[in-house]
Amino acid sequence: FNLSHSGALALIALAVGREVGVDVERIRADSPWEATARRFFRPVEIEELMRLPLAERNAAFFRLWTRTEALIKAAGCGWSDPPPDPDADTRWTVRSLPMPPDFAAAVAAEGNGWDLRHRHWSSGRVV
């Protein structure tokens, strides 16, 4: 299992027989996203961000950040280690998760072809 939280949201990922990681982040307008991206992302990821219209870059940064963080958690490495490249390393599958507009989230797990099932709880009830 893996857990992440941001603001009032929490995500828990459960898997059987495979490593799993999850991340959720509130999209903050005041984020120093460009400096953070240049420090932690691969050059190809930075290029992809910079090709987007300026108004879309901040949210795109958080989508990429959560995908990378989920993968790092699943792989058991840290930000000081280069994370696996999910496009080149077929051991991992990373998926973005549907969230409210001011959040980004992702899950990463070993292998491919796995099913993603999600539940939303609010006020202690399954919604």
Side-chain angles (χ1 to χ4, degrees):
F1 80 94
N2 195 248
L3 168 70
S4 180
H5 62 88
S6 182
L9 290 181
L11 290 177
I12 301 170
L14 304 170
V16 177
R18 69 181 77 233
E19 297 295 331
V20 65
V22 67
D23 190 45
V24 61
E25 298 286 341
R26 178 180 293 277
I27 298 172
R28 297 176 306 278
D30 63 346
S31 169
W33 67 266
E34 188 170 356
T36 304
R38 292 192 185 283
R39 181 171 178 200
F40 292 107
F41 291 164
R42 294 177 291 133
V44 66
E45 293 168 329
I46 296 166
E47 289 174 19
E48 289 173 11
L49 279 174
M50 299 312 279
R51 272 189 251 137
L52 293 172
L54 186 59
E56 296 176 22
R57 291 179 191 170
N58 188 52
F61 163 80
F62 280 98
R63 286 190 302 272
L64 184 55
W65 180 269
T66 57
R67 293 175 63 85
T68 304
E69 179 75 13
L71 182 57
I72 284 172
K73 289 177 169 185
C77 58
W79 281 102
S80 61
D81 304 316
D85 178 353
D87 296 327
D89 185 346
T90 58
R91 179 178 173 201
W92 303 102
T93 300
V94 182
R95 296 183 186 166
S96 294
L97 300 173
M99 297 305 291
D102 53 340
F103 285 88
V107 62
E110 281 183 299
N112 52 43
W114 43 266
D115 291 326
L116 178 63
R117 298 182 199 138
H118 66 288
R119 302 289 183 264
H120 176 245
W121 284 275
S122 178
S123 304
R125 298 182 327 226
V126 176
V127 177

